[in-house]
Amino acid sequence: MKRSEMLKQAREQSGPWDVVIVGGGATGAGVAVDASSRGYSTLLLEQHDFGKGTSSRSTKLVHGGVRYLEQGNVSLVMEALRERGLLRQNAPHLVGELPFIVPSYAWWEGPFYGIGLKVYQMLSGKYGFGPSKLISREETIRHLPNVNTDGLTGGVVYYDGQFDDTRLLINLIATAAEHGATLLNYAKVTGLLKGADGIVHGLTWEDGESGASFTAQAKMVVNATGPFSDSVRRLSEPEAKPMISPSQGAHLVLDRSFLPGDTAIMVPHTSDGRLMFAIPWHGHTLVGTTDTPLSQAVLEPVPMEQEIEFMLETASLYLAKKPARADILSAFAGIRPLVKSGDGHNTAALSRDHSIHIDRSGLLSIAGGKWTTYRNMAEDAVDQAATLAGLEEKSCRTRTLPIHGHHADAGNFGPLAVYGSDAWAIRRIIAEKAELGEALDDELPIYAAEVVWAAREEMARTVEDALARRTRVLFLNARAAIRMAPRVASLLARELGCDAAWEADQVREFNAVAEGYLVRI
Ligand SMILES: Cc1cc2nc3c(=O)[nH]c(=O)nc-3n(C[C@H](O)[C@H](O)[C@H](O)COP(=O)(O)OP(=O)(O)OC[C@H]3O[C@@H](n4cnc5c(N)ncnc54)[C@H](O)[C@@H]3O)c2cc1C
């Protein structure tokens, strides 16, 4: 994928697009894959980089949601479990099965959670992952060598899915491009165009790199801007009542010694009534999350002090080696685009179902849901958009559509496994120039060739794109990311034809963002 070609296609389109999508997160990318694979002409515009919003900041689980079962929302759990199975089938290079243990510290906890998790397993039907079972104290310790053994009676094992959120996102963008969609990052939608009848028939957008403004005509505009949905709705209806209750969730990343092995911990009830996870992810330990209502969404949220303290305290109850502030390698926050109901005070209790809202102007907004259900959300949105716009009826193809990079044996590709079938192309880059096969830092196996690949084929335009969303360095270890930034800037400058001043600006801008991922001791 080349941004210059995408820009040319967007500028040269004659006549209206069938579907124009605002927002390049999981929801927008899913809609782009769905619409383009049905054969509709499709344009997607993202104001920053693909995945800059919530979709890079998830807990990285492809899951049915054990908690929604407890809330009695069986249909939501079944939908998500089906989607979990479809995602593993369509993107096996990115979605893996992960065992979780719920450690028990009272005699009743094992049978209690054991029954619930058996039901969870049964609801997945033919899309099932491994079977859940009760295990002894000794087995629990064997799988979780750093578990707190004080009062430990045993545990319950169950299985869910795990993924790399922005690797999936960039592969969805590539899938849509392969089906003819035009997708642009750094393209902010600035206005909606309405006809005399008051119906939206297009939009204005700005190319973030040149500053030039453009218009795009559309038979249907889909607003997929997650936590920012209301600000886009207000471009057409300034008085629109808000549909989103934003809620922040934060994560901490620690080194692997806090969770050696390949098994995650699930804590079903923290002191604030939420679930908490400790998960092995890219050779590190990911701990999260929280649920703090916000009055408005921002693009670069920062974990709050009380969130950091709460996660350290909760993790310390379950781990023998207890994490302290100095152990935090990176801390990041994301904003859930929960759909409003009632006063929106207790966001943990708000539904995680998705919701489609059609304004009087015909603007279709799709929000809520979760990463796991992006495909189903997209199917729903495109069905409705096609009906509203009177597009030729075409059925959805995404249930069995392989996602770009699809490769059943990618697990054997070592550090390049997340690239799936693209791993061969990255190896060719290294074969052509051996120095690009060098790791960029001693602490993380990220190669210079990955940055080159990101610039050439994945539309990475900045150091942040390369270190936060094409590779995951910033999310894994913020100090390592700061160390790597100058070399990444120089690799990108060579690929993108930029000068030394650009390099220096890039490093400065990246360091300012990375500051927000560091935790002061
Ligand atoms: C802490 C946390 C943990 C989570 N963990 C999980 C999990 O483990 N598993 C799971 O399934 N789900 C999880 N979720 C939910 C999941 O991450 C979200 O539901 C999903 O990422 C939302 O995607 P989205 O595309 O709707 O929003 P976003 O990813 O926020 O995308 C919206 C995009 O719109 C863009 N935009 C805004 N305004 C404009 C404009 N004017 N012009 C152009 N573009 C614009 C933004 O820049 C942004 O990139 C989690 C969420 C949070 C917050």
Side-chain angles (χ1 to χ4, degrees):
M1 292 185 293
K2 308 262 182 277
R3 190 175 185 279
S4 54
E5 283 167 21
M6 296 288 187
L7 188 59
K8 191 162 175 281
Q9 286 166 24
R11 293 176 62 170
E12 291 179 358
Q13 168 79 4
S14 61
W17 300 87
D18 288 333
V19 184
V20 174
I21 301 151
V22 191
T27 308
V31 173
V33 172
D34 189 301
S36 59
S37 60
R38 291 190 202 207
Y40 297 135
S41 62
T42 305
L43 171 68
L44 179 149
L45 300 167
E46 161 56 47
Q47 64 174 351
H48 193 277
D49 184 29
F50 304 121
K52 170 71 176 180
T54 307
S55 298
S56 54
R57 303 157 186 278
S58 77
T59 312
K60 330 295 177 199
L61 297 180
V62 182
H63 61 159
V66 177
R67 189 159 57 93
Y68 317 131
L69 190 59
E70 202 181 44
Q71 291 168 355
N73 197 341
V74 174
S75 61
L76 176 64
V77 175
M78 285 181 76
E79 173 201 329
L81 288 171
R82 182 197 65 214
E83 293 300 319
R84 181 186 75 167
L86 293 178
L87 199 46
R88 182 174 59 169
Q89 161 199 294
N90 297 334
H93 60 301
L94 284 170
V95 178
E97 187 169 287
L98 182 68
F100 287 74
I101 291 182
V102 182
S104 314
Y105 291 92
W107 65 267
W108 56 269
E109 283 181 345
F112 182 76
Y113 294 122
I115 292 168
L117 290 165
K118 197 46 103 189
V119 173
Y120 185 68
Q121 177 206 327
M122 279 158 51
L123 287 177
S124 58
K126 68 174 178 168
Y127 298 107
F129 280 32
S132 71
K133 61 175 182 196
L134 295 179
I135 55 171
S136 66
R137 182 177 194 276
E138 289 65 37
E139 253 188 292
T140 305
I141 296 169
R142 190 159 57 77
H143 290 295
L144 300 172
N146 188 36
V147 71
N148 183 1
T149 53
D150 257 4
L152 182 74
T153 55
V156 186
V157 184
Y158 75 101
Y159 292 81
D160 240 325
Q162 184 183 35
F163 74 138
D164 182 323
D165 47 18
T166 55
R167 288 305 318 161
L168 178 59
L169 183 67
I170 205 69
N171 282 177
L172 288 173
I173 298 286
T175 309
E178 282 157 8
H179 285 90
T182 298
L183 309 105
L184 269 172
N185 50 1
Y186 299 101
K188 180 175 176 143
V189 170
T190 49
L192 294 170
L193 304 172
K194 286 203 247 180
D197 55 3
I199 300 297
V200 170
H201 62 79
L203 44 73
T204 54
W205 59 278
E206 194 177 285
D207 174 12
E209 297 197 340
S210 65
S213 291
F214 302 98
T215 58
Q217 303 297 324
K219 293 183 187 160
M220 195 69 205
V221 176
V222 174
N223 172 16
T225 53
F228 306 96
S229 300
D230 290 323
S231 53
V232 171
R233 288 175 61 227
R234 288 196 188 110
L235 292 175
S236 93
E237 284 183 27
E239 306 304 324
K241 273 181 79 178
M243 64 180 279
I244 298 293
S245 271
S247 157
Q248 174 156 311
H251 298 89
L252 305 178
V253 178
L254 311 167
D255 74 30
R256 190 177 153 77
S257 66
F258 290 92
L259 200 64
D262 297 320
T263 304
I265 298 180
M266 193 270 266
V267 176
H269 283 285
T270 60
S271 59
D272 75 346
R274 284 189 53 81
L275 292 185
M276 178 88 92
F277 296 100
I279 297 170
W281 188 60
H282 287 323
H284 292 67
T285 303
L286 177 65
V287 175
T289 179
T290 52
D291 208 324
T292 314
L294 295 180
S295 52
Q296 76 179 65
V298 291
L299 205 48
E300 190 53 70
V302 175
M304 301 166 198
E305 256 318 294
Q306 69 265 29
E307 292 181 304
I308 294 171
E309 285 305 320
F310 174 73
M311 286 186 284
L312 285 176
E313 272 166 34
T314 308
S316 296
L317 295 174
Y318 293 87
L319 299 177
K321 176 183 167 190
K322 308 210 180 290
R325 292 177 78 89
D327 298 310
I328 300 172
L329 300 175
S330 182
F332 62 91
I335 301 179
R336 292 180 192 83
L338 302 179
V339 179
K340 228 175 173 50
S341 75
D343 63 7
H345 267 2
N346 179 7
T347 46
L350 277 187
S351 169
R352 264 59 173 171
D353 277 324
H354 71 266
S355 174
I356 289 182
H357 190 99
I358 297 156
D359 286 331
R360 277 194 303 262
S361 63
L363 176 70
L364 186 153
S365 299
I366 171 146
K370 49 189 181 157
W371 237 121
T372 308
T373 56
Y374 84 91
R375 193 212 60 80
N376 194 33
M377 292 169 68
E379 179 176 348
D380 212 357
V382 177
D383 280 348
Q384 299 220 24
T387 306
L388 275 168
L391 302 180
E392 186 193 335
E393 206 177 308
K394 295 177 181 180
S395 47
C396 173
R397 294 181 47 204
T398 54
R399 280 183 187 224
T400 53
L401 189 79
I403 292 169
H404 179 93
H406 181 289
H407 199 295
D409 291 329
N412 299 323
F413 294 176
L416 297 180
V418 287
Y419 293 93
S421 55
D422 286 337
W424 303 109
I426 298 174
R427 285 201 187 124
R428 272 198 299 279
I429 293 175
I430 297 172
E432 281 160 20
K433 206 169 191 188
E435 68 180 72
L436 296 177
E438 288 162 15
L440 293 176
D441 193 81
D442 295 340
E443 286 194 42
L444 284 164
I446 303 295
Y447 304 113
E450 293 178 66
V451 177
V452 171
W453 169 257
R456 284 185 195 167
E457 298 297 336
E458 295 185 341
M459 290 169 69
R461 310 296 296 173
T462 69
V463 169
E464 187 195 324
D465 299 348
L467 284 175
R469 291 171 294 274
R470 301 307 182 281
T471 69
R472 307 314 307 274
V473 181
L474 179 60
F475 286 79
L476 292 168
N477 186 331
R479 283 184 186 81
I482 290 169
R483 283 198 300 274
M484 289 184 198
R487 172 98 167 101
V488 171
S490 123
L491 287 162
L492 287 176
R494 202 179 315 154
E495 289 299 318
L496 303 176
C498 299
D499 59 14
W502 181 89
E503 274 183 53
D505 282 352
Q506 278 294 307
V507 173
R508 197 173 25 78
E509 284 168 23
F510 178 73
N511 288 349
V513 172
E515 273 289 307
Y517 292 68
L518 295 172
V519 171
R520 302 279 160 228
I521 299 164

